[in-house]
Each structure stands twice: as C-alpha cells, then as structure tokens.
Amino acid sequence: MNIEDLRNHCIVKPGVTEEFPFDADTLVFKVMGKMFALANVEDFVSVNLKCDPEKAIRLREEFEDVLPGYHMNKKHWNTVMAVGILSDQQIREWVDDSYDLVVSGLPAKLKAELKNL
C-alpha cells in the first residue's frame, strides 16, 4: 500500500477530514473530528489505526507487521506496517474497523449529523 491508496480509501468515507495537526509530515484522518488513522507522508511505511483493545492484542500476536501504536496509547492503537507481508486488502479492512470503532463511540448528535452527510 502507498500513501495515495491510504488517502483515497480514507477520504471517501462519510464525515472524514484530513489535516496535519502535529507537524508537516503526519497526515491525520478524522471522522467528525475524532482521529482514526495517522501516517507519515514523507516516509510512508506504516499507518496507526485505532483498535479494540482485545483485538489489538490478538492482531499483534498473529501478525508480525502489527505493532503497538507508535507514539500512541498502546492499548487502543496499533501501528500497521504498510510495506511488508500484509495485503492492501487486509490494511483497508483494518482502516474500516478503525473508522467504525470511532464512529461507534461518537455522541448521538454527531452520529445523527454523520447519517445526514
């Protein structure tokens, strides 16, 4: 997977915005203002994705290219290597899971707004 593929997959989802809140290299995707994916655009080798804590541990045990979230809360975030043994489809599925997890935690008002987009 490359950064353009990641961006194209993320940006078409309802309510998604992209920004650089931390520095000029770290692209952050948010749904209704809440982060669900982060990646370095200059040196794209991985993407940080939000994950259910129990699933995060299982994925790290099963896949050597899934690591505790770099510079993130390691209970809730995984770093997924985008260049390695994982398929683009697998990474896209985990991006979708991250998006869905964040959406499920949104307040009812934001969920209602999201449905109207």
Side-chain angles (χ1 to χ4, degrees):
M1 176 171 279
N2 60 47
I3 192 67
E4 292 85 13
D5 292 337
L6 175 68
R7 181 185 180 276
N8 291 338
H9 186 72
C10 291
I11 202 67
V12 297
K13 297 180 176 305
V16 169
T17 58
E18 59 184 338
E19 57 188 72
F20 290 87
F22 304 118
D23 56 41
D25 296 333
T26 307
L27 177 59
V28 176
F29 295 97
K30 295 181 177 183
V31 56
M32 304 305 286
K34 301 291 184 182
M35 293 190 305
F36 73 94
L38 301 86
N40 184 307
V41 295
E42 292 302 316
D43 183 25
F44 180 71
V45 294
S46 64
V47 57
N48 282 5
L49 300 172
K50 190 143 191 180
C51 192
D52 171 78
E54 290 181 16
K55 183 177 180 180
I57 292 168
R58 283 196 318 270
L59 292 176
R60 293 174 201 161
E61 290 172 350
E62 185 175 348
F63 299 96
E64 67 183 54
D65 279 356
V66 178
L67 309 167
Y70 180 70
H71 284 294
M72 305 298 286
N73 180 326
K74 304 207 180 335
K75 181 177 179 181
H76 297 278
W77 289 85
N78 279 339
T79 296
V80 176
M81 303 309 293
V83 290
I85 60 171
L86 299 171
S87 71
D88 289 0
Q89 181 58 35
Q90 183 67 69
I91 296 169
R92 282 191 290 273
E93 287 178 21
W94 290 336
V95 169
D96 294 345
D97 290 348
S98 180
Y99 173 89
D100 293 342
L101 180 63
V102 172
V103 167
S104 73
L106 291 173
K109 180 180 177 182
L110 290 178
K111 285 180 184 176
E113 286 180 32
L114 184 61
K115 285 185 180 181
N116 292 325
L117 294 179

